[in-house]
Amino acid sequence: MVLAYAVEEAGGPVHVLDYESEPLGALEVDVAVTHCGVCQTDVAMVDNEHGISRYPVVAGHEAVGVVTAVGSAVDRTRLAVGQRVGVGATAGACFACEWCLSGRQHLCPDKDDTVLRGDRGAFATHVRASDWRYVHPLPAALSSEHAAPLLCAGITVFSALTRYGVRPTDRVAVVGVGGLGHLAIQFLAKWGCHVTAISSTSAKADDSRRFGAHEFVVANGGLEHVAGSYDFILSTVPADLPWDAYLAALRPHGTLCMVGVPKGPLTIQAVDLLVAEKSLAGGIVGTPMDTRRMLDFAARHGIRADVETFPAERLDEALDHVRHGRSRYRAVLEF
């Protein structure tokens, strides 16, 4: 029996939903959840911000727990009952399409997005991965509550750095010091980059430096002073920004990468891209190998999500905390 925390309507209250799991498939793995991060994407699904939610919704896609059962085709030299693992934003892929076969499983059109399953998300006592290759053993150095947000927020920013070739010698700006941004600053600082945090106010300047930022810029009025400064800019905020000003802050051949989702259409002047051969890019979570490399890097370098924990029965409160931007810097449920 699985007990899940569900909502029946957009923004509605959380109630407990129980269901019996289907028989375990050959490649599948069941995990008893001990911790699960609460992400802005979970709020978007609960509130039906994108118009794609199917109720009842059980959100959650940053789960840490213990393996309770493995399918007959699972490689038992890599996964065993009782092992502490993570199941993140993606819980499976087809491993047969051109994207999977070329090592780009994050682009698989049939991948199993944990948060899009309807009533089978990870805000529950158990979560099932549809493919064991998406069940990640956790390094001992990472505590469960600090590891959970790495399985979406952490891999999202880490993948952007590796996919777009950010170098230790680069000057990089992170826009937004929030759930994604505070992890991006840590990864970049340990990567060896010169890191600038950019925020709408000065309220998070001290925290940014604690996370490893070398400089801090207040966006309102400060962008004009950093024109031509950065090789890479990572935007982590779900907001519409003055994109031309951020393109102007790039050096020639620089890249502006968005991992936050703007609310409205993106408007830029094409000449700002053309003249200095700049690039505009997007980023999502990575492959299974990307995730394992990220977890190893975080463990070796002491990278941790700053978290606030909530008992699972206070999910309503945790969702509201994230919904109104009060998290410092990630909310995590404890089961």
Side-chain angles (χ1 to χ4, degrees), residues 62 146-158 161 174 176-190 211 234 236 294 298 303-306 329-330:
E62 295 178 336
H146 293 115
L150 296 177
L151 297 167
C152 177
I155 186 56
T156 296
V157 297
F158 185 86
L161 310 185
V174 176
V177 186
L180 277 73
H182 90 290
L183 288 169
I185 293 169
Q186 293 181 67
F187 279 120
L188 286 161
K190 296 300 184 182
F211 297 136
L234 185 68
T236 69
M294 178 274 300
I303 294 169
R304 303 289 185 273
D306 264 29
Y329 281 86
R330 296 290 286 192

Side-chain angles (χ1 to χ4, degrees), residues 2-294:
V2 177
L3 299 181
Y5 292 82
V7 297
E8 293 282 359
E9 59 185 10
V14 174
H15 68 92
V16 176
L17 170 75
D18 62 79
Y19 64 88
E20 293 287 348
S21 295
E22 298 292 329
L24 197 67
L27 295 173
E28 293 180 335
V29 177
D30 278 342
V31 175
V33 179
T34 62
H35 297 79
C36 190
V38 183
C39 178
Q40 188 65 46
T41 303
D42 297 316
V43 173
M45 292 304 297
V46 166
D47 293 349
N48 199 20
E49 288 183 10
H50 305 302
I52 60 173
S53 300
R54 295 178 287 112
Y55 295 94
V57 165
V58 177
H61 59 286
E62 295 178 336
V64 168
V66 177
V67 174
T68 58
V70 298
S72 60
V74 172
D75 184 344
R76 300 186 186 210
T77 67
R78 295 175 182 268
L79 284 179
V81 171
Q83 190 170 4
R84 190 175 66 114
V85 296
V87 178
T90 307
C94 77
F95 285 91
C97 69
E98 63 174 300
W99 308 106
C100 287
L101 293 176
S102 59
R104 294 173 286 179
Q105 296 91 354
H106 63 294
L107 300 177
C108 175
D110 295 319
K111 67 181 184 293
D112 179 10
D113 292 309
T114 314
V115 77
L116 300 181
R117 292 171 164 181
D119 61 357
R120 294 296 189 269
F123 290 160
T125 55
H126 292 76
V127 66
R128 176 170 291 183
S130 55
D131 193 297
W132 65 271
R133 286 163 285 195
Y134 278 91
V135 180
H136 309 290
L138 295 178
L142 294 176
S143 64
S144 296
E145 67 271 24
H146 293 115
L150 296 177
L151 297 167
C152 177
I155 186 56
T156 296
V157 297
F158 185 86
S159 293
L161 310 185
T162 57
R163 194 167 295 132
Y164 295 111
V166 174
R167 301 163 299 183
T169 53
D170 284 345
R171 300 179 69 87
V172 180
V174 176
V175 185
V177 186
L180 277 73
H182 90 290
L183 288 169
I185 293 169
Q186 293 181 67
F187 279 120
L188 286 161
K190 296 300 184 182
W191 205 259
C193 301
H194 184 279
V195 187
T196 298
I198 300 178
S199 188
S200 57
T201 73
S202 61
K204 296 179 180 178
D206 289 343
D207 277 354
S208 297
R209 294 187 176 93
R210 174 167 62 88
F211 297 136
H214 302 92
E215 296 182 19
F216 185 89
V217 171
V218 177
N220 299 328
L223 293 179
E224 60 192 55
H225 302 297
V226 293
S229 295
Y230 307 114
D231 300 288
F232 191 82
I233 298 176
L234 185 68
S235 175
T236 69
V237 297
D240 299 315
L241 299 176
W243 300 111
D244 287 326
Y246 283 100
L247 287 173
L250 289 170
R251 289 159 43 84
H253 283 187
T255 298
L256 169 59
C257 178
M258 291 181 292
V259 293
V261 183
K263 301 294 185 184
L266 191 67
T267 303
I268 61 170
Q269 297 297 322
V271 69
D272 293 334
L273 290 176
L274 300 177
V275 172
E277 296 185 343
K278 299 175 183 179
S279 299
L280 182 63
I284 57 173
V285 295
T287 69
M289 184 54 69
D290 291 335
T291 298
R292 296 182 189 209
R293 286 172 176 159
M294 178 274 300

